[in-house]
Amino acid sequence: MANHDFPVPRIEGLLHRLYGPLRFRRRFRQYGAGAFVSPFATVTGMEAIAIGPGSSVGRRSLLTVTPDPAGADSRIDIGRHTYIGRGCTLSACG
């Protein structure tokens, strides 16, 4: 098997099952069925991030949405069955 984090290592999967739904489903703008965000990823501005069904965000990834001072709509939309690899950065500002 290649050296990447899919399928999810046991401890990461266990942490996600224990607190992922509580932490993520209520705070993200959308959190699709079967979506996975590593507990070791950093996410800011969850209320402006949508994650589609079956999508995955790997460990040490950074998702951040910063409100635009001019009032423009800032958001990140991750589609269905998308894999954001380990250590990736996605950011939005206006």
Side-chain angles (χ1 to χ4, degrees):
M1 180 177 267
N3 185 17
H4 53 74
D5 57 349
F6 190 81
V8 179
R10 275 188 187 182
I11 188 70
E12 198 169 17
L14 178 63
L15 287 172
H16 178 75
R17 282 191 301 278
L18 290 175
Y19 83 95
L22 297 173
R23 178 179 178 207
F24 296 137
R25 292 193 199 287
R26 295 181 186 172
R27 296 188 63 199
F28 278 106
R29 185 167 49 88
Q30 175 190 349
Y31 192 80
F36 173 82
V37 176
S38 170
F40 304 111
T42 302
V43 182
T44 58
M46 285 184 188
E47 61 281 345
I49 299 173
I51 299 180
S55 294
S56 179
V57 177
R59 70 178 83 156
R60 294 192 317 263
S61 292
L62 171 64
L63 304 178
T64 183
V65 176
T66 305
D68 186 350
D73 186 29
S74 300
R75 67 186 204 182
I76 294 175
D77 293 315
I78 298 172
R80 302 172 61 90
H81 306 289
T82 302
Y83 179 70
I84 308 297
R86 178 172 53 192
C88 290
T89 299
L90 298 177
S91 60
C93 180

